[in-house]
Amino acid sequence: MGETPVSVAVTPDGYADALKIGPDGITTYFTEPHTQRMAMSNLLSLLSDPQFSQSSGDIAQKGNGASEATDGWPSLPSAAAPGLASARQPKFGILPGEVVYLQSQNGNLNDPEGEFASLREDVPAEIPWASEALDRHPEAVNL
């Protein structure tokens, strides 16, 4: 898929469509991920880069100077962590610690105009044993 643009979900912790406590520590919000368009090759680069393939909690636990703000978004390292500011630079608009993933649904492999149309011939329309076990054909096929 190379340079094909795809919709990438971005969250501070990997939890989307979830309840989160707001900055005031009291109010609860239903949150959805930020969606950002990027080339599939850029997404794969992020997923294979150790700085970007960990959740913000993993980074904070490693004691590298990163901390998590009350809103769940990781903050940049403080001056007490020399040399880390350059290591925490964004890549393709994503900060280390932010979680990126594909999450589109609703038959994203069935849509001839969809982002993943080029993969359609490589993915079976159904898994026979699953269809047999469930006694029905799939309603949608998603990546």
Side-chain angles (χ1 to χ4, degrees):
M1 290 188 57
E3 298 307 306
T4 302
V6 294
S7 299
V8 176
V10 182
T11 69
D13 55 14
Y15 295 106
D17 300 334
L19 295 176
K20 293 283 195 175
I21 302 295
D24 64 4
I26 300 169
T27 309
T28 302
Y29 296 92
F30 180 79
T31 61
E32 294 182 347
H34 167 73
T35 302
Q36 178 175 322
R37 302 272 295 163
M38 70 173 63
M40 177 61 101
S41 60
N42 292 351
L43 173 62
L44 295 175
S45 175
L46 287 169
L47 294 174
S48 64
D49 185 333
Q51 271 195 300
F52 292 88
S53 61
Q54 306 170 44
S55 73
S56 58
D58 292 340
I59 288 174
Q61 290 173 7
K62 291 186 178 180
N64 66 359
S67 62
E68 194 166 295
T70 57
D71 62 1
W73 288 92
S75 63
L76 293 175
S78 67
L84 288 176
S86 62
R88 299 229 353 120
Q89 295 301 312
K91 182 175 181 180
F92 311 120
I94 306 297
L95 283 173
E98 292 178 330
V99 180
V100 295
Y101 54 96
L102 297 173
Q103 76 151 18
S104 67
Q105 298 177 20
N106 300 324
N108 66 23
L109 284 169
N110 295 337
D111 182 357
E113 303 296 319
E115 295 176 328
F116 305 107
S118 64
L119 299 177
R120 193 171 179 193
E121 64 185 46
D122 297 318
V123 179
E126 69 179 298
I127 300 170
W129 63 263
S131 296
E132 183 180 342
L134 298 172
D135 195 29
R136 64 185 309 164
H137 299 286
E139 295 175 7
V141 180
N142 298 307
L143 175 67

